[in-house]
């Protein structure tokens, strides 16, 4: 059995949804289909909420969203499901209208209300897609994708979700089965939550892992995983295959193809992922498994995370390198802050970490508390945070076999007059990463891509 996930662009228009229908109807009935909201809808839901909170005229935007859904229902939903699908969507749209009215009255969007608002995207797209595909059965993902609070985030409760997914789908005959991605429910409060932007991939992976699927197919708008984002690098090429580890590195360093947490559950069960194109279903796509072709493609790609913040710890701390690193790393991890680059101490005895700019304030607080004794006794002179940077990463299990690879990249960036503000070799030899000024991001990606491809 395969789990298929169709992203926003794949369920964005009458044309793309016709492709989805053709693809799914050609597969066995036990196929499970996870869908995103209609393309661009999640952004629209958020923008309209902001408009309402600012006292703007949100109603026309709301009407456009409503009309878009009804146009698809009218054109594509099979006759005998048209009425019930319209009723379901209509009732959700009324609920959405009431929520916007409340936001307009309040002049603010509390986080819980925003979670409620973005959930309408998948709550509407799932019944519509189920209404389009012959014999499809609809499943409510709020019943089996559960989250728990982790600092200010909601994270999947994987164990509970696993059990509920098994209960939901086991022994269910007929199908295909359709459900909405991204949305979830807090296991304690019952509030609607979500798995984070791009999270439909993760819903599909949780389902695939729980049901021991044969394959997780991510259907999107490109022919496969490419050597760089094709929107930035015009001559990026599709990779026929890569390993779980390589895809994990590329995605956590910003390649938008798969939402990063997605890979772990299927990697753990050794369920391969395919990246396929809804608009070109004949293309062979990218096959992601536990092996990697390092001969043909020692390097799999170049990518970047923008909004990087660089944290520096300055002081006379050379003899305690490992200890300081571990303490800083653990203090941040305990507070829910991910560190994606850990640099070697530099000439001025400084340590550098790269984090997301969104975590900057919290990091400052956490590190100042952790190192309060050293800051007082002078063994650390200061802790600084600077935003406005990008982390550019080169990924491939074959990197370690390329002689002098780091030197060649450094030289290439220097020739383009791009300053490297920190660098790291990662922990598993599969990635090399470099922090550069955000304005140099595209040029750095292009230069490194040109070196390898
Ligand atoms: P979906 O709506 O299907 O989830 P996303 O927009 O999340 O699609 O992901 C697909 C997009 O990822 C592509 O359109 C492409 O612009 C972008 N992308 C970024 N890096 C890569 C890469 N290395 N290979 C392919 N696509 C990439
Ligand atoms: N609709 C959600 C988003 O736009 C989830 C997804 O598309 O995966 O982020
Ligand atoms: Mg996506």
């Amino acid at each position: 059995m395969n789990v298929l996930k169709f992203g926003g662009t794949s369920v964005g228009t009458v044309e793309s949804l016709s492709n989805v229908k053709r693809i799914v109807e050609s597969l066995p009935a036990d196929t499970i289909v996870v869908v995103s909201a209609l393309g661009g809808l999640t952004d629209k839901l958020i923008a309209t909420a902001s408009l309402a909170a600012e006292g703007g005229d949100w109603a026309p935007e709301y009407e456009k969203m409503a009309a878009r859904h009804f146009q698809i229902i009218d054109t594509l939903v099979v006759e005998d499901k048209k009425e019930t699908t319209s009723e379901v969507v209509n009732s959700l749209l009324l609920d959405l209208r009431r929520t916007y009215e409340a936001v307009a009255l309040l002049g603010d969007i509390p986080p819980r209300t925003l979670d409620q608002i973005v959930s309408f995207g998948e709550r509407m797209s799932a019944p519509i897609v189920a209404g389009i595909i012959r014999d499809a059965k609809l499943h409510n993902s709020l019943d089996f994708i559960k989250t728990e609070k982790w600092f200010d985030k909601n994270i999947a409760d994987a164990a509970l979700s696993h059990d509920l997914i098994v209960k939901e789908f086991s022994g269910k005959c007929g199908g295909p089965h359709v459900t909405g991605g991204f949305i979830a429910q807090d296991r304690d409060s019952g509030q609607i939550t979500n798995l984070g932007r791009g999270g439909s991939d993760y819903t599909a992976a949780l389902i695939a892992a729980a049901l021991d699927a044969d394959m997780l197919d991510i259907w999107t708008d490109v022919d496969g995983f490419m050597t760089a984002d094709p929107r930035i690098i015009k001559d990026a090429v599709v990779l026929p295959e890569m390993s779980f580890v390589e895809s994990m590195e590329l995605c956590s360093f910003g390649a938008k193809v798969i939402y990063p947490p997605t890979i772990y559950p299927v990697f753990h069960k050794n369920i391969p992922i395919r990246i396929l194109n809804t608009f070109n279903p004949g293309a062979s796509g990218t096959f992601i498994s536990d092996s990697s072709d390092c001969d043909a493609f020692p390097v799999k790609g170049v990518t970047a995370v923008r909004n990087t913040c660089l944290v520096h710890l300055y002081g006379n701390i050379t003899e305690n390198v490992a200890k300081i690193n571990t303490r800083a790393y653990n203090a941040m991890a305990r507070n829910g802050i991910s560190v994606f680059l850990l640099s070697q101490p530099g000439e001025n005895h400084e340590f550098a970490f790269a984090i997301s700019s969104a975590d900057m304030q919290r990091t400052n607080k956490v590190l100042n508390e952790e190192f309060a004794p050293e800051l007082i006794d002078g063994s650390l002179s200061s802790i600084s945070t600077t935003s406005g940077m990008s982390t550019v990463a080169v990924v491939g299990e074959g990197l370690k076999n390329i002689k002098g690879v780091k030197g060649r990249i450094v030289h290439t960036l220097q020739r383009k007059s791009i300053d490297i503000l920190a660098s790291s070799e990662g922990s598993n030899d599969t990635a090399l990463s470099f922090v550069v000024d955000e304005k140099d991001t595209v040029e750095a990606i292009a230069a490194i891509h040109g070196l390898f491809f």
Side-chain angles (χ1 to χ4, degrees):
M1 179 270 290
N2 288 6
V3 175
L4 278 60
K5 177 261 171 176
F6 290 93
T9 44
S10 304
V11 294
T13 61
V14 167
E15 291 69 36
S16 62
L17 276 162
S18 306
N19 291 355
V20 173
K21 176 180 169 69
R22 255 194 306 279
I23 293 164
V24 179
E25 288 182 356
S26 71
L27 296 170
D30 60 357
T31 299
I32 297 178
V33 177
V34 176
V35 293
S36 291
L38 304 197
L41 196 88
T42 310
D43 287 336
K44 258 272 157 1
L45 286 165
I46 297 169
T48 307
S50 303
L51 191 62
E54 288 156 11
D57 186 9
W58 53 272
E61 293 307 316
Y62 165 85
E63 295 299 342
K64 275 188 235 162
M65 290 190 273
R68 207 176 146 200
H69 287 82
F70 282 119
Q71 192 225 347
I72 291 172
I73 296 174
D74 287 344
T75 329
L76 289 179
V77 168
V78 295
E79 275 315 314
D80 59 334
K81 285 192 191 164
K82 233 175 209 150
E83 202 179 317
T84 42
T85 310
S86 295
E87 277 169 17
V88 169
V89 171
N90 206 23
S91 138
L92 287 165
L93 281 165
L94 283 177
D95 217 357
L96 175 62
R97 176 188 276 280
R98 272 185 233 115
T99 316
Y100 281 143
E101 281 165 355
V103 167
L105 215 60
L106 193 65
D108 187 26
I109 327 167
R112 258 197 226 165
T113 308
L114 189 64
D115 283 348
Q116 181 88 21
I117 288 171
V118 291
S119 76
F120 284 100
E122 278 75 6
R123 283 160 76 200
M124 291 195 284
S125 66
I128 292 177
V129 175
I132 291 172
I133 297 165
R134 203 189 324 118
D135 300 329
K137 302 224 163 24
L138 180 65
H139 296 257
N140 183 358
S141 42
L142 298 181
D143 292 342
F144 51 85
I145 302 292
K146 303 289 174 181
T147 57
E148 58 184 305
K149 268 257 164 283
W150 193 63
F151 299 95
D152 55 351
K153 300 178 182 125
N154 296 303
I155 58 160
D157 181 336
L160 177 60
S161 303
H162 171 281
D163 294 349
L164 294 171
I165 292 165
V166 171
K167 214 159 110 196
E168 175 77 20
F169 292 95
S170 295
K172 290 263 158 68
C173 326
H177 304 274
V178 175
T179 195
F182 173 64
I183 51 174
Q185 192 180 44
D186 183 84
R187 65 167 190 205
D188 302 309
S189 67
Q191 299 278 341
I192 291 186
T193 56
N194 60 65
L195 301 176
R197 294 302 307 273
S200 295
D201 299 338
Y202 190 22
T203 305
L206 291 170
I207 296 175
L211 302 178
D212 287 312
D214 298 309
M215 193 87 75
L216 169 61
D217 287 339
I218 308 267
W219 289 86
T220 182
D221 60 352
V222 282
D223 275 348
F225 217 123
M226 302 171 83
T227 51
D229 185 345
R231 281 184 246 195
I232 298 179
I233 304 294
K234 295 293 164 227
D235 52 0
V237 294
V238 175
L239 295 149
E241 58 179 71
M242 67 171 67
S243 69
F244 289 120
V245 174
E246 288 171 330
S247 66
M248 223 178 297
E249 290 283 7
L250 281 165
C251 294
S252 54
F253 280 115
K256 208 188 157 211
V257 196
I258 312 174
Y259 181 51
T262 305
I263 302 160
Y264 184 74
V266 285
F267 172 34
H268 185 63
K269 288 279 186 96
N270 201 9
I271 299 168
I273 308 174
R274 281 188 302 193
I275 308 297
L276 298 162
N277 190 350
T278 307
F279 302 88
N280 184 17
S284 47
T286 302
F287 185 75
I288 303 172
S289 69
D290 57 359
S291 69
S292 164
D293 180 356
C294 290
D295 296 333
F297 287 99
V299 176
K300 295 300 190 296
V302 189
T303 178
V305 207
R306 289 174 185 266
N307 297 319
T308 293
C309 165
L310 206 52
V311 184
H312 277 108
L313 269 62
Y314 296 98
N316 182 25
I317 40 182
T318 36
E319 69 276 26
N320 278 321
V321 176
K323 216 163 133 203
I324 297 277
N325 262 343
T326 311
R327 270 177 63 197
Y329 193 83
N330 288 346
M332 292 201 256
R334 274 198 309 276
N335 286 278
I337 302 162
S338 347
V339 176
F340 47 79
L341 179 144
L342 205 62
S343 163
Q344 298 308 313
E347 287 162 20
N348 305 320
H349 298 174
E350 84 276 17
F351 288 83
F353 305 94
I355 55 160
S356 160
S357 296
D359 291 327
M360 186 160 106
Q361 260 184 351
R362 205 141 42 96
T363 301
N364 238 326
K365 183 170 172 286
V366 166
L367 291 181
N368 273 290
E369 280 169 12
E370 174 67 29
F371 292 107
E374 286 81 359
L375 286 165
I376 291 167
D377 74 20
S379 52
L380 267 187
S381 56
S382 66
I383 296 173
S384 77
T385 46
T386 325
S387 57
M389 306 185 185
S390 284
T391 307
V392 177
V394 190
V395 173
E397 294 201 14
L399 267 176
K400 53 183 173 292
N401 308 328
I402 305 174
K403 242 195 173 147
V405 63
K406 187 169 178 185
R408 282 169 60 194
I409 297 169
V410 169
H411 183 66
T412 303
L413 294 177
Q414 280 168 346
R415 255 198 354 239
K416 296 272 175 192
S417 308
I418 298 170
D419 284 334
I420 299 171
L421 306 164
S423 69
S424 167
E425 310 193 355
S427 53
N428 56 9
D429 286 344
T430 307
L432 286 170
S433 48
F434 304 88
V435 176
V436 300
D437 196 301
E438 197 154 10
K439 71 172 176 8
D440 294 327
T441 314
V442 172
E443 208 181 352
I445 296 176
I448 303 174
H449 191 268
L451 182 66
F452 294 107
F453 302 104

